[in-house]
Amino acid sequence: MSNYIRPEFASLEPYVPGEQPAGKTYVKLNTNESPFPPAPGVRERAAKAAEGLNLYNDPDSRELTKKTAEHFGLSPECVLMTSGSDEILNFAFITFCGKDRPAVFPDVTYGFYKVFANVNLVPYEEIPVKDDLSIDYRDYLGIGKTIFIANPNAPTGKALPLNEIEEIVKSNPDNVVVIDEAYIDFGGESSVALVKKYDNVLVTQTFSKSRSMAGARLGMGIGSKELITSLNTVKFSMNPYNVNSMTAAAGLATLENPEYTAKNVAAIVKNREYTTEKLRELGFEVSDSSTNFVFAKHPEISGEEIYLSLREKGILVRHFTPQKIKDYNRISIGTREQMEALITALKEITEEYYEISDN
Ligand code: PMP
């Protein structure tokens, strides 16, 4: 570590993204990407936009913002487009949290919240999830801090019902409640409906999962005009041209083809049910998921061993090390063929394990 780094960052622990392997081809079920290509027309529109790369892009992404707002039945002043939803989440930490305005989030959730808090020098509290790893909404009532909740939550895949989110929002009128809906298209009820009723809700969504655009980096914040104006002040103080013109064009082409997204979501949900059932047959504990991944644990084989054995067999899943979730693996849902490959590999791994234990 350089002596020049500011002292507060000397021990900063950065976010560790899931592995993006080079060389060997894996069945890649570790970063919750879509297994399906971008919508028809995306490539052509992005290529067309590339012709104008000598010019700066529209810092307000007006066309895309308008189309996104229409998609949600809101006015464009209620939408801010960002470079992935990670960027809007970071903007939310910068805009709505601070030394005297701490953040709060569950102890089992998207690992980036803690990193955003640390890098922005925001104090934070982590509230333990229940024994079944679900969030108890009552823990957040009247808490008086800026709340970050992923709904459905990651990596558990569990969703809170809208009425419980609304209770949290209602009971914290002086604080912003950020609902991270990266996985909402795969299950659960969206809180976008609350944006019309409350001025303290910010919903974040992404083009990375259901919309097959992870590599283009496109996300958004949806909230009251006041919240979006404040977030824009921060955006224009940091990165005015945050959504590049090729990504904006790709986003528009994607939104113009909602049937394609819906078809892919339906396929993922079907494959998720297939995978859940097969995993349970193999003895895994798998709770019902509202996302494009499942969170699974074996009663006897450790999470790490399963992760490593799968890796050996050319299948990547995501393993986390925190104590509460170290027995689990988060498995992204891919195509039917990918999920069959996973089940075949896990069948071998479990059979080998029991053979060895019998000897
Ligand atoms: N929120 C959650 C809960 C996530 O799992 C992810 C994906 N890593 C994100 C937000 C950010 O995704 P992106 O920046 O690609 O929109």
Side-chain angles (χ1 to χ4, degrees):
M1 190 66 72
S2 138
N3 288 334
Y4 298 109
I5 192 167
R6 55 192 283 190
E8 300 95 315
F9 289 174
S11 57
L12 186 66
E13 281 182 39
Y15 178 70
V16 182
E19 190 179 349
Q20 297 292 353
K24 183 169 173 183
T25 318
Y26 286 94
V27 174
K28 197 168 175 304
L29 305 175
N30 66 335
T31 44
N32 299 342
E33 291 141 326
S34 174
F36 304 115
V42 162
R43 251 194 296 173
E44 293 75 9
R45 294 279 280 282
K48 181 94 191 111
E51 289 171 15
L53 282 181
N54 53 313
L55 301 180
Y56 281 107
N57 51 315
D58 173 8
D60 290 307
S61 302
R62 275 167 293 191
E63 222 189 325
L64 176 63
T65 307
K66 187 164 166 278
K67 185 85 190 163
T68 306
E70 269 169 24
H71 175 84
F72 291 109
L74 293 165
S75 81
E77 291 96 339
C78 297
V79 173
L80 171 57
M81 305 308 296
T82 52
S83 173
S85 55
D86 280 338
E87 187 178 49
I88 186 74
L89 290 165
N90 190 30
F91 286 164
F93 272 90
I94 298 169
T95 313
F96 305 122
C97 304
K99 199 161 52 69
D100 302 318
R101 200 173 293 180
V104 61
F105 38 85
D107 65 344
V108 175
T109 191
Y110 184 34
F112 223 144
Y113 301 158
K114 199 194 282 193
V115 180
F116 286 138
N118 285 333
V119 78
N120 293 307
L121 308 179
V122 166
Y124 61 89
E125 180 190 353
E126 292 174 282
I127 298 191
V129 291
K130 292 192 274 191
D131 287 345
D132 68 354
L133 302 182
S134 66
I135 294 169
D136 190 338
Y137 80 100
R138 290 168 298 191
D139 291 338
Y140 298 84
L141 297 180
I143 198 163
K145 294 175 180 161
T146 304
I147 300 168
F148 290 81
I149 290 183
N151 195 46
N153 197 14
T156 61
K158 290 172 185 256
L160 285 180
L162 187 57
N163 65 310
E164 294 187 0
I165 299 276
E166 184 162 6
E167 288 304 314
I168 297 174
V169 171
K170 265 203 296 201
S171 70
N172 288 283
D174 297 329
N175 290 89
V176 174
V177 180
V178 179
I179 307 297
D180 173 352
E181 295 191 347
Y183 300 102
I184 195 69
D185 294 337
F186 303 101
E189 302 165 278
S190 174
S191 295
V192 169
L194 301 181
V195 166
K196 294 178 192 163
K197 280 169 79 178
Y198 303 94
D199 62 9
N200 62 325
V201 194
L202 178 73
V203 177
T204 65
Q205 288 198 10
T206 181
F207 280 64
S208 297
K209 316 291 175 186
S210 60
R211 299 187 180 91
S212 296
M213 273 183 52
R217 313 304 302 126
L218 187 59
M220 70 200 96
I222 303 151
S224 62
K225 279 184 203 169
E226 294 74 19
L227 289 192
I228 297 299
T229 303
S230 306
L231 287 158
N232 259 313
T233 304
V234 166
K235 173 196 130 148
F236 277 88
S237 306
M238 302 191 79
N239 192 10
Y241 302 103
N242 61 336
V243 175
N244 75 69
S245 47
M246 293 176 294
T247 291
L252 268 171
T254 301
L255 287 177
E256 283 164 14
N257 204 335
E259 301 78 21
Y260 179 77
T261 303
K263 185 180 85 176
N264 290 343
V265 166
I268 296 286
V269 168
K270 202 163 156 221
N271 292 344
R272 181 182 73 203
E273 305 319 323
Y274 163 81
T275 309
T276 304
E277 192 188 313
K278 292 288 170 193
L279 285 171
R280 285 178 183 155
E281 280 172 24
L282 289 176
F284 283 83
E285 289 171 29
V286 196
S287 55
D288 290 331
S289 165
S290 301
T291 61
N292 66 339
F293 56 84
V294 290
F295 203 44
K297 112 176 180 187
H298 193 273
E300 290 175 52
I301 317 174
S302 80
E304 190 184 17
E305 190 175 339
I306 286 173
Y307 159 72
L308 290 173
S309 308
L310 281 172
R311 198 169 196 290
E312 192 89 339
K313 291 177 184 291
I315 298 175
L316 283 185
V317 298
R318 189 85 199 254
H319 181 246
F320 300 92
T321 49
Q323 185 61 24
K324 269 194 189 175
I325 54 173
K326 70 174 179 18
D327 295 336
Y328 291 82
N329 280 292
R330 192 196 67 191
I331 305 168
S332 307
I333 302 298
T335 60
R336 180 63 180 242
E337 293 70 35
Q338 288 178 310
M339 303 329 287
E340 283 171 359
L342 169 90
I343 297 300
T344 305
L346 284 174
K347 194 158 181 286
E348 286 166 13
I349 292 165
T350 47
E351 279 170 3
E352 271 164 36
Y353 174 83
Y354 287 116
E355 264 168 36
I356 292 166
S357 352
D358 282 351
N359 293 337

